[in-house]
């Protein structure tokens, strides 16, 4: 394996949570958000980091960016201890949150970039070169003079990604970078990320609920649950472990008894003329569709990919359905998107 | 290239941003002028009945009104400066994004508020002030040095105003209620700054207290510097002492608040 860029060695984070347990009585409770977490990410790797809400993803990213100090264990990014040298590390990392923007809302996009130029002390020549390149790759040319509030979600997202990359960060933390985007914007963002990773050897840690993001971008996936790493390897392996299933939704001309599908495909739900069939994610849908079309009056159909939650839930609990919600984390002024 | 250069860029951006709200600026100028008129006639009647109230003659009282209207937006006496945005970011959790930047939050928001203040002074202050000086008796100095001393006092007033609102805004980390805090900013600001009545005219013990509070550094002190009611060095000392104390308190609360954000994460 190449040079390790991110290193975690038995990292723990324990929060002390106080909660009201009656009038004037408060109860102290320890929440172990991250528990003995160890992994390394090599320079230039692109890794998917997934897990149910409250699993500890955000806590990990906060420790990697230095705004949280680990309770125990050793953590290094580019050889730096993030919590001790947060500002120094900030110059070398980029952060993008799909649901939050770092752009200046009321001003033209270019004004936010000029601010980044100063904030990250980017040398003038490199700033111009990077800006030109990002504007071209992300198609921002027409948008530079448009106030950010007038941008569509997809445009704003591309604007945010450019803002995070102007200072040539060595590592990029992405949190749901394609959430809410249409298919075209999504593809464009993914293509761009792949290119940045390939050309600049930028290390990327991607947190997402969109399985396609991971499928198209990451050769490696880490799954975290209850603060522990429960899977680290290729995405295909995750499917195998989780035995995930896709869903074929068919609309028939009229109400009919459940379709007799070839095993292991099976009908899981019937509502009027609409039927849902589950089949292994590793198999092609074509054969199944052809057989149904040949024997039933088919009006319409669609295929649904398994979502990450379902895959993980199967892997963790060996059952279908959504994972149990995480324990209540006390009222928080900082709503978490993990 | 120095790290500080980001702050002038922030101030310039903030200035431009407020400059884009033209209709709001025009409406603000109109409102300040109308309120100025109402207050001026009230003060004229009051000073008619109580000549020399607070040590002011009628012209000084009128000048005080127009000064108050001119500086109301700049000093964000009623709120509506950077703090509404900061409180909103704290409430929604967007504040976490700010911590990923290689900047100091207090300096960042100070630069932000300075850009806004300079715009509000020019965009909203000048017109009501000139209107008042043209159509009503005015007690304005002739020497440029006094105007210079007034501007220095105004800068210090701005720092105190920022420092007060920064503390209010950070309280949202604990109170989790930005609306109530915004109300508190407004009520304390309007009353304690002397927006309704010069603090010099407040009676007895109450007067002693409000004149010693930091809000006095916002409007009362610069007004007295401009109208020659107080010596500039004493005024600067009072303002600078509050500015330093409150900014230092802001830094302390900021580090406690940062730890808190960090703890709230999941």
């Amino acid at each position: 394996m190449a040079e390790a860029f991110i290193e975690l060695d038995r990292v723990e984070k324990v929060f002390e949570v106080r909660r009201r347990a009656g009038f004037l009585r408060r109860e102290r409770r320890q929440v172990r958000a991250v528990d003995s977490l160890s992994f390394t990410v090599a320079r230039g790797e692109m890794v998917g980091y997934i897990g149910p809400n409250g699993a500890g993803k955000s806590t990990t990213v906060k420790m990697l960016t230095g705004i949280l100090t680990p309770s125990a264990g050793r953590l290094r990014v580019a050889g730096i201890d993030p919590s001790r040298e947060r500002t120094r590390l900030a110059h070398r990392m980029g952060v993008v949150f799909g649901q939050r923007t770092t752009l200046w809302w009321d001003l033209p996009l270019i004004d936010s970039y000029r601010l980044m130029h100063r904030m990250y002390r980017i040398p003038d020549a490199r700033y111009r070169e990077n800006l030109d390149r990002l504007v071209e790759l992300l198609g921002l040319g027409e948008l530079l003079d448009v106030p950010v509030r007038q941008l569509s979600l997809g445009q704003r997202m591309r604007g945010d990604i450019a803002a995070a990359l102007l200072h040539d960060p060595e590592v990029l933390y992405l949190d749901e970078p394609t959430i809410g985007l249409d298919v075209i914007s999504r593809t464009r963002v993914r293509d761009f990320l792949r290119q940045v990773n390939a050309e600049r050897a930028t290390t990327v840690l991607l947190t997402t609920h969109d399985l396609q993001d991971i499928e198209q971008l990451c050769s490696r996936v880490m799954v975290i649950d209850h603060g522990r790493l429960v899977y680290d390897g290729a995405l295909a392996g995750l499917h195998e472990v989780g035995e995930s299933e896709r869903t074929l939704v068919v609309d028939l001309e009229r109400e009919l008894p459940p379709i007799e599908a070839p095993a292991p495909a099976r009908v899981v739900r019937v509502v009027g003329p609409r039927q849902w069939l589950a089949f292994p994610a590793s198999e092609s849908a074509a054969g199944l569709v052809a057989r149904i079309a040949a024997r039933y009056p088919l009006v319409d159909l669609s295929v649904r990919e398994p979502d990450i939650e379902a895959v993980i839930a199967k892997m963790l609990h060996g059952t279908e359905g959504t994972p149990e919600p995480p324990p209540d984390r006390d009222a928080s002024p900082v709503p978490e998107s993990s | 290239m120095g790290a500080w250069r980001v702050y002038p860029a922030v101030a310039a951006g903030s200035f431009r941003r407020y400059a884009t709200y033209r209709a709001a600026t025009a409406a603000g100028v109109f409102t300040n002028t109308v309120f100025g008129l109402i207050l001026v006639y009230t003060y004229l009647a009051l000073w008619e009945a109580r000549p020399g109230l607070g040590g002011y003659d009628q012209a000084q009282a009128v000048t005080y009104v127009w000064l108050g209207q001119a500086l109301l937006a700049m000093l964000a006496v009623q709120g509506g400066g950077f703090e509404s945005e900061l409180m909103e970011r704290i409430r929604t959790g967007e504040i976490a994004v700010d911590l990923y930047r290689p900047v100091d939050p207090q300096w960042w928001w100070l630069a932000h508020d300075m850009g806004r203040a300079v715009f509000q002074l020019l965009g909203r202050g000048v017109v009501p002030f000139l209107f008042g000086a043209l159509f009503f008796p005015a007690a304005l100095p002739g020497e440029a040095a006094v105007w210079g001393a007034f501007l220095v006092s105004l800068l210090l007033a701005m720092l105190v105003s920022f420092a007060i609102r920064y503390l209010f805004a950070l309280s949202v980390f604990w109170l989790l209620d930005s609306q109530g805090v915004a109300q508190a900013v407004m009520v304390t600001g309007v009353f304690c700054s002397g927006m309704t009545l010069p603090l010099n005219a407040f009676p007895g013990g109450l007067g002693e207290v409000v004149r010693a509070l930091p809000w006095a550094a916002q409007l009362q002190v610069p007004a007295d510097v401009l109208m020659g009611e107080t010596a500039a060095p004493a005024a600067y000392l009072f303002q600078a002492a509050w500015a330093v104390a409150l900014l230092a308190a802001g830094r302390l609360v900021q580090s406690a608040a940062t730890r808190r954000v960090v703890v709230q994460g999941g």
Side-chain angles (χ1 to χ4, degrees):
Chain A
M1 193 141 121
E3 176 201 354
F5 187 75
I6 299 174
E7 289 178 87
L8 279 82
D9 186 18
R10 281 162 288 166
V11 168
E12 289 186 13
K13 183 69 202 180
V14 180
F15 294 118
E16 182 133 298
V17 179
R18 276 188 292 266
R19 64 184 325 169
R20 206 163 286 182
F23 185 66
L24 290 180
R25 204 165 63 86
R26 294 210 168 206
E27 209 175 70
R28 282 173 176 234
R29 199 164 54 99
Q30 286 202 332
V31 176
R32 196 166 289 265
V34 167
D35 190 3
S36 193
L37 189 64
S38 302
F39 63 79
T40 55
V41 176
R43 187 182 285 275
E45 242 190 312
M46 206 165 185
V47 181
Y49 193 49
I50 59 180
N53 291 328
K57 299 188 297 284
S58 286
T59 305
T60 314
V61 173
K62 280 179 180 163
M63 287 193 287
L64 289 171
T65 51
I67 66 173
L68 264 186
T69 315
S71 312
R74 185 174 180 276
L75 191 156
R76 292 288 179 275
V77 176
I80 295 175
D81 180 351
S83 63
R84 278 172 186 275
E85 296 182 81
R86 168 150 64 99
T87 313
R88 200 177 132 209
L89 191 62
H91 284 279
R92 300 172 64 175
M93 68 182 198
V95 183
V96 178
F97 291 95
Q99 287 158 310
R100 287 168 188 172
T101 182
T102 55
L103 302 172
W104 212 317
W105 197 243
D106 299 291
L107 290 177
L109 194 53
I110 187 73
D111 285 21
S112 290
Y113 296 156
R114 290 195 182 116
L115 196 64
M116 300 292 167
H117 180 192
R118 297 290 169 229
M119 184 155 40
Y120 290 98
R121 288 180 259 161
I122 310 166
D124 293 350
R126 212 171 73 180
Y127 167 73
R128 270 191 300 275
E129 188 189 312
N130 283 352
L131 183 62
D132 289 348
R133 187 174 55 91
L134 290 165
V135 163
E136 196 200 314
L137 286 175
L138 287 163
L140 297 171
E142 313 258 293
L143 307 175
L144 285 176
D145 295 318
V146 179
V148 172
R149 68 181 130 84
Q150 289 172 19
L151 298 179
S152 73
L153 184 62
Q155 292 168 336
R156 201 219 77 207
M157 198 59 234
R158 283 185 273 140
D160 255 311
I161 292 175
L165 288 168
L166 276 172
H167 60 292
D168 283 330
E170 293 161 68
V171 57
L172 187 60
Y173 301 105
L174 298 164
D175 187 10
E176 302 283 359
T178 60
I179 197 162
L181 302 192
D182 61 40
V183 180
I184 295 168
S185 301
R186 216 173 268 198
T187 310
R188 199 158 184 178
V189 165
R190 286 180 193 142
D191 287 347
F192 172 77
L193 292 173
R194 204 179 294 120
Q195 196 170 345
V196 167
N197 174 251
E199 285 176 5
R200 303 256 153 168
T202 310
T203 309
V204 180
L205 192 69
L206 171 67
T207 303
T208 183
H209 284 95
D210 187 333
L211 202 55
Q212 280 189 319
D213 281 348
I214 305 268
E215 261 167 7
Q216 298 190 6
L217 294 173
C218 306
S219 49
R220 178 179 164 200
V221 192
M222 295 189 291
V223 181
I224 185 174
D225 186 54
H226 292 105
R228 286 168 174 275
L229 205 58
V230 292
Y231 180 84
D232 185 354
L235 181 69
L238 183 62
H239 275 305
E240 268 166 39
V241 175
E243 293 168 349
S244 64
E245 289 182 323
R246 290 197 280 174
T247 308
L248 177 69
V249 185
V250 294
D251 285 339
L252 305 176
E253 262 172 24
R254 56 187 184 279
E255 271 184 56
L256 285 170
I259 293 169
E260 285 167 35
R266 66 198 187 281
V267 174
V268 290
R269 199 174 159 211
V270 180
V271 176
R274 175 170 287 192
Q275 304 200 7
W276 282 260
L277 292 94
F279 64 101
S282 49
E283 274 180 29
S284 161
L288 183 61
V289 171
R291 291 193 53 168
I292 294 171
R295 296 162 64 186
Y296 290 88
L298 194 58
V299 177
D300 200 0
L301 64 85
S302 65
V303 177
R304 293 189 190 155
E305 296 298 323
D307 64 357
I308 278 183
E309 266 70 26
V311 175
I312 296 169
K314 276 199 94 168
M315 187 182 116
L316 297 176
H317 310 293
T319 51
E320 233 176 309
T322 45
E324 242 178 273
D328 181 22
R329 279 274 156 85
D330 210 358
S332 154
V334 185
E336 269 306 305
S337 61
S338 30
Chain B
M1 189 151 41
W4 60 271
R5 282 182 64 180
V6 64
Y7 302 112
V10 171
S14 177
F15 182 98
R16 274 201 304 282
R17 184 181 146 198
Y18 278 87
T20 59
Y21 304 133
R22 293 203 188 131
T25 305
V29 166
F30 179 73
T31 311
N32 287 142
T33 311
V34 171
F35 265 93
L37 285 171
I38 296 169
L39 273 176
V40 158
Y41 286 112
T42 314
Y43 278 29
L44 283 173
L46 183 58
W47 261 262
E48 188 77 41
R50 298 276 307 275
L53 179 64
Y56 286 164
D57 60 23
Q58 268 197 347
Q60 282 177 313
V62 168
T63 304
Y64 182 91
V65 168
W66 291 114
L67 207 53
Q69 291 305 312
L71 302 182
L72 180 71
M74 177 207 178
L75 297 171
V77 172
Q78 298 177 302
F82 80 99
E83 79 285 355
S84 3
E85 200 180 330
L86 176 55
M87 289 191 286
E88 191 58 20
R89 292 184 79 79
I90 296 171
R91 204 181 56 77
T92 58
E94 299 223 341
I95 194 76
V97 179
D98 300 348
L99 293 174
Y100 291 120
R101 299 168 160 177
V103 291
D104 179 78
Q106 195 182 29
W107 278 97
W108 171 277
W109 289 110
L110 176 60
H112 200 275
D113 209 42
M114 283 291 167
R116 181 200 59 80
V118 172
F119 174 77
Q120 304 280 37
L121 178 66
L122 301 175
R124 283 193 51 183
V126 171
V127 172
F129 192 73
L130 287 180
F131 176 85
L134 279 176
F135 296 104
F136 291 89
L140 295 174
E143 314 92 89
V146 180
W147 284 97
F150 168 68
L151 286 180
V152 173
S153 180
L154 211 51
L155 180 70
L156 289 166
M158 198 41 236
L159 286 175
V160 174
S161 155
F162 166 80
I164 293 172
R165 285 175 291 128
Y166 195 61
L167 284 169
F168 268 112
L170 291 184
S171 73
V172 175
F173 274 109
W174 290 270
L175 300 174
L176 312 179
D177 166 29
S178 50
Q179 287 199 350
V181 176
Q183 293 270 332
V185 169
M186 188 176 89
V187 171
T188 52
V190 170
F191 183 77
C192 301
S193 301
M195 262 303 154
T196 42
L197 195 68
L199 301 182
N200 291 351
F202 275 44
L206 178 66
E208 301 284 335
V209 172
V210 287
R211 283 191 291 275
L213 292 178
W215 287 274
Q218 297 196 90
L219 173 59
Q220 187 65 59
V221 171
D224 282 346
V225 169
L226 184 68
M227 299 192 290
E229 287 291 305
T230 184
Y236 295 167
L237 191 67
F238 175 75
Q239 291 181 301
W242 271 122
V244 169
L246 294 173
L247 288 170
R251 287 213 83 78
L252 280 177
V253 177
Q254 169 179 308
S255 62
T258 310
R259 276 199 298 280
R260 190 173 165 86
V261 175
V262 155
V263 168
Q264 295 294 342

